[in-house]
Amino acid sequence: MAERPLTLMAVHAHPDDEATSTGGVLARYAAEGVTTVLVTCTDGRCGDGPGGVKPGEEGHDPAAVVAMRQAELEASCATLNVTHLETLGYADSGMMGWPTNDLPGAFWTTPVADAAARLAELIRRYQPDVIVTYDENGFYGHPDHIQAHRITMAAVEQTDVPAKVYWTTVPRTAFAEFGRIMKELGVEWAEPDAAEPQLGLPDDEITTWVDTSKYGAQKFGALATHASQTENIFFLQLGQERFTELMGMETFLRVRDRTGSPTPEDDLFAGLR
């Protein structure tokens, strides 16, 4: 009997999140024969509508945005060769403090235990060796990212399936480089407020550095399928080569490990193959 292929599961909040922080690893590991599973928790209804119209503005039709973003998500998965796409279908909660946070069916208001039970069912079905999601602040404080973190960690505890769990992060030096490139391109760039919590981690605290530059074209292509969302336009304007230069290394904090493999590491599956 053939040995079961290794499996990676990425748990994300919205359509397009898969492309920015994990598009490289999804493409790389698919190319290496790993089964890749993407779980998208919300429907993206609080994203931009056609022409960049925002939620609450005239012409923003949440149902139409949901349909558009689902099609974009499926196209992104095809670009990254994702093996399985699972959508939990919770309503996008919008940014922290928006009225949509508290609407019935919003992901942010869903009891963690309920959503975690649904995710746990998927974990038992797919038996992922590695799971990737966000840190406890959802990287930048988005309520749906925070909720995705909470349900993932609860589901991991319930199932005890994955050998390794990672949180996405960015090295602090990369933010400095990003700011330099923004200024070079003539884009207004506000320096981070020292009073605000810093994003990312000091470089020496990052456990895992995965070179995905070989898959830059796929990552760029996946993000391009989500071109309806204006926050992605800047990255697309960089062009594929500059985009890959800036975002060709994906970095993670390893928070669970049963392999004993040393860190820093350059492979999410170190110790498993």
Side-chain angles (χ1 to χ4, degrees), residues 42 47 77 89 94 111 117 133 138 154 159 172 200 202 215 240 258 267:
T42 80
C77 287
T133 192
T159 60
R172 297 261 168 86
Y215 304 92
Q240 180 184 307
R258 287 205 294 255
D267 180 7

Side-chain angles (χ1 to χ4, degrees), residues 5-53:
L6 292 167
T7 300
L8 167 66
M9 177 180 282
V11 183
H12 281 292
H14 311 99
D16 82 359
D17 290 331
E18 81 290 338
T20 48
S21 61
T22 59
V25 291
L26 287 168
R28 171 179 163 167
Y29 290 119
E32 294 178 3
V34 172
T35 297
T36 55
V37 182
L38 171 63
V39 180
T40 301
C41 297
T42 80
D43 58 13
R45 67 178 55 226
C46 289
D48 295 344
V53 63

Side-chain angles (χ1 to χ4, degrees), residues 8-224:
L8 167 66
M9 177 180 282
V11 183
H12 281 292
H14 311 99
D16 82 359
D17 290 331
E18 81 290 338
T20 48
S21 61
T22 59
V25 291
L26 287 168
R28 171 179 163 167
Y29 290 119
E32 294 178 3
V34 172
T35 297
T36 55
V37 182
L38 171 63
V39 180
T40 301
C41 297
T42 80
D43 58 13
R45 67 178 55 226
C46 289
D48 295 344
V53 63
K54 304 295 184 185
E57 294 179 350
E58 186 177 351
H60 188 279
D61 178 354
V65 171
V66 168
M68 175 181 68
R69 299 198 72 186
Q70 178 65 26
E72 292 176 339
L73 178 61
E74 291 170 5
S76 174
C77 287
T79 302
L80 298 171
N81 294 321
V82 169
T83 316
H84 303 285
L85 169 63
E86 297 284 351
T87 53
L88 299 186
Y90 293 107
D92 185 346
S93 310
M95 299 298 285
M96 190 68 82
W98 286 14
T100 46
N101 291 177
D102 302 315
L103 292 179
F107 190 38
W108 184 237
T109 64
T110 300
V112 169
D114 292 354
R118 293 183 61 197
L119 181 58
E121 183 179 331
L122 295 175
I123 291 173
R124 293 187 185 101
R125 181 191 311 169
Y126 289 109
Q127 294 289 302
D129 303 280
V130 174
I131 292 181
V132 175
T133 192
Y134 314 104
D135 64 19
E136 57 266 84
N137 190 45
F139 184 62
Y140 69 101
H142 192 296
D144 289 332
H145 288 229
I146 294 170
Q147 188 77 329
H149 162 86
R150 290 173 177 171
I151 74 162
T152 301
M153 300 313 292
V156 166
E157 289 303 312
Q158 287 178 36
T159 60
D160 196 33
V161 166
K164 305 178 86 174
V165 175
Y166 294 89
W167 297 343
T168 58
T169 191
V170 174
R172 297 261 168 86
T173 53
F175 281 110
E177 176 66 5
F178 183 68
R180 184 189 67 77
I181 291 173
M182 294 277 274
K183 289 176 180 176
E184 183 183 307
L185 295 173
V187 178
E188 274 193 44
W189 174 251
E191 292 297 330
D193 187 340
E196 295 291 324
Q198 284 190 284
L199 299 179
L201 289 174
D203 293 35
D204 61 0
E205 292 182 19
I206 292 174
T207 61
T208 311
W209 303 69
V210 183
D211 183 356
T212 63
S213 55
K214 183 178 175 182
Y215 304 92
Q218 282 176 268
K219 182 170 178 171
F220 185 81
L223 192 63

